[in-house]
Amino acid sequence: MKKTLVTAAIMTAFAGQAIAMDVDICVEGAYPPFSYTTDTGAVEGFDIDIANALCEEMGATCEMVKTDWDGIIPALLEGKCDAIIASMSITEERKQVIDFSEKYYQTPAIFLGAEGMTLDMLEGKVVGVQRGTIHQDFMEGEFPGIELRLYGSQDEAYLDLTSGRIDAIMADSIAMDDGFLKTDAGEGYAFFGPGYSIPQYHGDGAGIGVRQADTDLRDKFSAAIQAIRADGTYAEINAKYFDFDIYSD
Amino acid sequence: MRVDLVLANWELFLGGVWMTVQLTGLALLIGFCIAIPFGIIRANKVPVWSQLINAYVYAFRGTPLLVQLFLIYFGLAQFDFVRESWAWVFLRDAWWCALIAFALNSGAYATEIIRGAVATTPKGEIEGARALGLSRWQVYALVLLPSALRRALPQYGNEVVFMLHGSAVASIITIQDILGAGRTLNARYYVAYEGFLTAALLYMAITFLLVMIFRQLERRYLRHLALR
């Protein structure tokens, strides 16, 4: 009798595991408004809300793992987390190492500098980019003569722009609009030049990164993105941060 | 482990080594120049000066190097009067900020090393020098300092190695030192070990070289203390 009970308990435990999915998600925490760290140390933002919505949709129990940007892909590969939801652009280069879900948003990249700055004035100036981003590749490919300064996080680049150590930043337009221009620190600064969205550098929008072996998880994320697009959850989260749909159909 | 990535980017690491050696070397040199007068003043307990220097030493030995670097790099840049002053020419540059932080930090540690060595000079050496009719300055230049610096050698060797390792924090403020090169490699190829391991090996190699140099110096200048 006792034995049967134990067996039953074990079987239930295993059955339970097969249904509920545990997913650790690597997030960044220094890329407002997509991902930022609050005063209490919690990570919040668009990426986090999307992550939670997707987990709920998939019926998974998710835990957010705060990871520095330049170590985020190694963290995934080493199994410190099972997915990256950190506004990571889907590029060919990254696809050689990890796999991506479908995009969950897509916004153009652009230059940011002091008001009155133009593309013609860029010669001889110093431009800041986040290390290991599509923006670094873009600058090295399209503006090889311009001196680049590499930052660990976008927030550090903002600090050096306001102190005058760099003259411009190349990064995502939405991230800079909400994370910098709309804040007090952003006064006197503006975008300049066109919005860039070159597939070779900028990829196919931001997707959810998973290990190449986890095709099942990848497909579940893709399906969940479609589901929250359809049922209005995405629109609800989107409205919390932006006044237009950043999914870009 | 992808050794090919490291080899293909050897120039990145060479630049990193040069940056680290240059920053550490200059910081140690400036720190040493600060430490000689400061250490002597501290050892002699010169009123007011001694207290001021003690405060400097206390502040820089009492806080982590990374915090000092952040205060100089991100902290000072927050003040308009700093950005409008002549000092901004230097403070604007991450390299100068790192050099200032490292030199002041090394100066604080070296001051204590020199103070200790000067203060523990056997009385007989000084009395002997005085008895020969040497002036106060001659006693310092010919007897006390050479003797104190010799005895400070092993401890100072440690400080040199600590400074080298401490200099790795420079990579955080955009400087492409050895660790910066490793982080760039990691970020570019989405790897975790290759960049850090190469950086570790390079630091180790430089440390080994420094230890050898100091062992030679000790053999030469501390021969009188060696076991026969």
Side-chain angles (χ1 to χ4, degrees):
Chain A
M1 182 65 201
K2 218 175 185 180
K3 204 176 170 188
T4 343
L5 266 180
V6 172
T7 323
I10 290 171
M11 279 177 67
T12 334
F14 273 103
Q17 233 173 26
I19 298 163
M21 203 173 28
D22 277 329
V23 185
D24 289 337
I25 298 178
C26 275
V27 295
E28 192 198 352
Y31 193 66
F34 293 100
S35 169
Y36 51 87
T37 310
T38 63
D39 298 341
T40 57
V43 187
E44 289 178 7
F46 180 81
D47 282 344
I48 317 308
D49 288 354
I50 288 288
N52 284 326
L54 293 176
C55 289
E56 200 180 324
E57 180 64 39
M58 298 189 302
T61 316
C62 291
E63 192 151 337
M64 303 297 155
V65 184
K66 197 178 159 192
T67 315
D68 278 347
W69 173 259
D70 53 9
I72 212 162
I73 289 183
L76 173 73
L77 296 176
E78 285 162 9
K80 292 204 181 94
C81 58
D82 307 303
I84 298 171
I85 304 189
S87 296
M88 184 174 276
S89 304
I90 306 164
T91 64
E92 285 306 317
E93 253 190 325
R94 288 182 182 135
K95 270 193 206 160
Q96 293 176 7
V97 198
I98 61 172
D99 211 348
F100 285 100
S101 72
E102 282 172 26
K103 70 161 185 182
Y104 64 98
Y105 78 86
Q106 184 165 24
T107 47
I110 199 163
F111 280 110
L112 170 77
E115 265 169 23
M117 183 101 172
T118 64
L119 272 188
D120 303 328
M121 294 159 64
L122 216 53
E123 197 62 45
K125 297 278 187 355
V126 185
V127 176
V129 293
Q130 197 176 352
R131 192 200 313 262
T133 56
I134 51 172
H135 311 295
Q136 184 188 346
D137 292 339
F138 170 74
M139 286 304 295
E140 285 170 353
E142 296 293 307
F143 294 88
I146 306 284
E147 189 184 336
L148 273 193
R149 206 58 57 82
L150 306 180
Y151 291 91
S153 75
Q154 195 62 30
D155 285 347
E156 288 167 333
Y158 295 145
L159 276 177
D160 270 7
L161 180 71
T162 49
S163 68
R165 284 199 180 100
I166 51 176
D167 306 293
I169 295 178
M170 162 51 71
D172 181 79
S173 52
I174 302 299
M176 290 198 288
D177 194 30
D178 288 76
F180 182 73
L181 280 183
K182 283 183 184 160
T183 67
D184 294 338
E187 211 173 311
Y189 294 90
F191 291 138
F192 65 93
Y196 297 96
S197 200
I198 309 169
Q200 183 197 346
Y201 299 110
H202 299 108
D204 313 311
I208 293 157
V210 295
R211 284 180 292 271
Q212 283 173 339
D214 295 346
T215 46
D216 190 39
L217 184 63
R218 177 199 67 194
D219 296 341
K220 276 189 178 140
F221 270 121
S222 293
I225 293 170
Q226 289 307 325
I228 61 166
R229 281 292 295 170
D231 72 5
T233 315
Y234 186 101
E236 214 172 280
I237 297 169
N238 190 95
K240 232 174 104 182
Y241 297 93
F242 314 107
D243 37 26
F244 63 99
D245 186 4
I246 66 165
Y247 184 79
S248 317
D249 285 296
Chain B
M1 177 77 197
R2 300 207 27 206
V3 185
D4 58 310
L5 287 182
V6 179
L7 295 179
N9 289 280
W10 65 274
E11 274 179 318
L12 183 70
F13 284 100
L14 188 71
V17 169
W18 171 233
M19 178 58 81
T20 292
V21 168
Q22 187 192 36
L23 262 181
T24 314
L26 281 172
L28 285 167
L29 189 73
I30 299 169
F32 189 74
C33 293
I34 296 174
I36 297 276
F38 281 17
I40 293 171
I41 292 171
R42 285 271 292 135
N44 285 296
K45 303 198 177 79
V46 180
V48 187
W49 283 104
S50 193
Q51 275 85 40
L52 286 176
I53 292 166
N54 196 24
Y56 153 69
V57 170
Y58 201 80
F60 276 86
R61 294 211 314 169
T63 52
L65 181 57
L66 181 59
V67 176
Q68 293 160 18
L69 186 64
F70 276 171
L71 280 175
I72 293 174
Y73 186 77
F74 287 120
L76 287 180
Q78 296 300 307
F79 300 105
D80 286 333
F81 71 87
V82 175
R83 289 212 302 273
E84 280 150 21
S85 73
W86 57 269
W88 187 242
V89 179
F90 299 105
L91 292 174
R92 185 178 197 278
D93 199 339
W95 188 88
W96 282 102
C97 289
L99 182 65
I100 293 167
F102 294 173
L104 288 174
N105 185 277
S106 178
Y109 280 95
T111 296
E112 276 306 282
I113 294 172
I114 304 275
R115 181 200 65 80
V118 169
T120 56
T121 304
K123 260 201 176 123
E125 285 186 26
I126 303 165
E127 283 166 359
R130 287 260 168 81
L132 285 170
L134 297 184
S135 73
R136 207 182 145 83
W137 287 112
Q138 281 172 320
V139 171
Y140 265 99
L142 301 176
V143 180
L144 213 159
L145 267 182
S147 158
L149 289 181
R150 277 167 196 236
R151 279 175 288 109
L153 209 50
Q155 258 187 303
Y156 191 68
N158 275 340
E159 161 58 18
V160 169
V161 172
F162 282 140
M163 192 64 247
L164 172 75
H165 293 170
S167 76
V169 301
S171 70
I172 296 173
I173 56 162
T174 75
I175 292 176
Q176 288 281 36
D177 65 346
I178 295 177
L179 184 58
R183 289 171 60 161
T184 299
L185 186 89
N186 283 354
R188 187 169 293 161
Y189 299 101
Y190 314 118
V191 290
Y193 292 106
E194 283 77 353
F196 291 145
L197 194 65
T198 310
L201 291 174
L202 288 171
Y203 281 117
M204 216 188 261
I206 300 175
T207 304
F208 186 72
L209 208 70
L210 287 171
V211 169
M212 282 221 311
I213 291 171
F214 271 92
R215 194 173 295 158
Q216 287 302 320
L217 287 173
E218 281 174 34
R219 198 170 285 169
R220 186 184 159 104
Y221 290 109
L222 297 176
R223 198 177 329 177
H224 59 292
L225 297 179
L227 292 171
R228 265 180 249 257

